[in-house]
Amino acid sequence: MRMAFTSLANRISDLPLLLSGPILRKVEPNAVTVWVALKEERKVWLEVYDDIAPSGSVPNLKKILEGNLKPIRIGGHLFLVAVTATLVAGEQPMTPGKLFFYNLFFSDINATSVSTTDT
């Protein structure tokens, strides 16, 4: 059985915002870079967290790195960004052998902050 071809222009609205990634691009003690490809222009925010809870207890995440970046337009519906999060003032660099967590947020391209609360 052969499936009918549907052009990308006719199905782009059905695709998710995140087309590819996240891909961990680079990790250093003071910075982390993550790459993503999007179908729409959005500012991308990256936050990295350290679990400061005692071992074996419920995680207690503290933000230690943050950053944001606007993507580069590659095509009509393709935007690429490699966003780097750097140390928050007063925080210590990441140490090898420890587990860290990260989260990406997507906002209006002109946003000056990101809301991480559920609505």
Side-chain angles (χ1 to χ4, degrees):
M1 181 175 178
R2 192 168 182 196
M3 296 183 67
F5 173 77
T6 304
S7 73
L8 182 58
N10 292 332
R11 56 189 170 90
I12 193 74
S13 63
D14 295 332
L15 295 176
L17 172 65
L18 187 63
L19 297 174
S20 183
I23 296 173
L24 194 56
R25 181 73 179 94
K26 186 175 185 180
V27 177
E28 298 175 330
N30 297 323
V32 171
T33 301
V34 173
W35 178 93
V36 294
L38 308 172
K39 77 169 184 179
E40 297 172 358
E41 187 177 34
R42 302 282 176 88
K43 186 181 273 188
V44 179
W45 304 77
L46 172 61
E47 295 181 352
V48 178
Y49 310 94
D50 187 5
D51 183 2
I52 59 173
S55 181
S57 63
V58 176
N60 181 12
L61 301 181
K62 177 181 180 185
K63 181 170 49 173
I64 61 168
L65 297 113
E66 64 183 353
N68 65 77
L69 191 62
K70 295 178 182 181
I72 297 171
R73 173 174 245 158
I74 302 299
H77 294 283
L78 181 58
F79 299 84
L80 301 179
V81 63
V83 59
T84 299
T86 57
L87 275 177
V88 171
E91 294 300 328
Q92 297 298 311
M94 295 184 295
T95 56
K98 185 168 185 197
L99 183 62
F100 293 90
F101 303 83
Y102 76 94
N103 210 344
L104 289 171
F105 303 94
F106 307 94
S107 70
D108 176 83
I109 197 68
N110 296 313
T112 57
S113 65
V114 64
S115 172
T116 58
T117 59
D118 293 332
T119 55

